[in-house]
Amino acid sequence: NNNNNNNHIMVRKKLDERVRTLIERGVVTKQRSLLCLVGDHGKDQVPNLYQLLTKTSVKTRPKVLWCYKKELGFSSHKQKRMKKIKRDKARGLAKGAND
């Protein structure tokens, strides 16, 4: 039972210095910064970016506009994987297709 809980632990990756530099430069020059996160887990990074912004800025609550788009105009990796699984099932190549 303990192994099931360990599977959901996310590994933290080091933030790219370009993102940190963009946020810090925007705060120092008092200009807007635009970040576009694309991917299956892009919105999971929003709290991390907000924390970085609050550490960098002098204000207690920086002004932030968050925008989400459920359907992208292009295919993400998750959509490609699902399409491939569906295609393989139709061909009888997927595991469990003959069950």
Side-chain angles (χ1 to χ4, degrees), residues 5-66:
N5 293 337
N6 291 338
N7 291 341
H8 298 292
I9 296 173
M10 288 181 47
V11 178
R12 287 191 69 151
K13 294 182 181 178
K14 184 165 174 56
L15 182 67
D16 190 348
E17 283 300 315
R18 293 175 291 184
V19 174
R20 185 181 310 275
T21 304
L22 176 70
I23 292 174
E24 289 172 353
R25 191 176 296 151
V27 170
V28 170
T29 60
K30 296 182 180 178
Q31 293 181 340
R32 293 184 181 135
S33 301
L34 176 68
L35 294 172
C36 181
L37 303 176
V38 179
D40 297 336
H41 303 285
K43 68 181 178 181
D44 295 342
Q45 297 305 315
V46 169
N48 298 335
L49 292 172
Y50 186 76
Q51 182 183 18
L52 179 65
L53 180 63
T54 54
K55 283 182 184 177
T56 307
S57 91
V58 179
K59 292 182 181 178
T60 54
R61 291 186 76 180
K63 294 180 182 178
V64 179
L65 174 64
W66 302 110

Side-chain angles (χ1 to χ4, degrees), residues 37-45 70 72 74-82:
L37 303 176
V38 179
D40 297 336
H41 303 285
K43 68 181 178 181
D44 295 342
Q45 297 305 315
K70 185 83 173 161
L72 299 173
F74 51 89
S75 180
S76 72
H77 292 295
K78 186 175 183 181
Q79 290 171 336
K80 288 179 184 177
R81 282 194 309 269
M82 295 306 286

Side-chain angles (χ1 to χ4, degrees), residues 84-94 97:
K84 184 179 184 311
I85 289 170
K86 188 176 181 181
R87 187 174 56 238
D88 288 348
K89 277 187 181 181
R91 293 179 183 166
L93 299 174

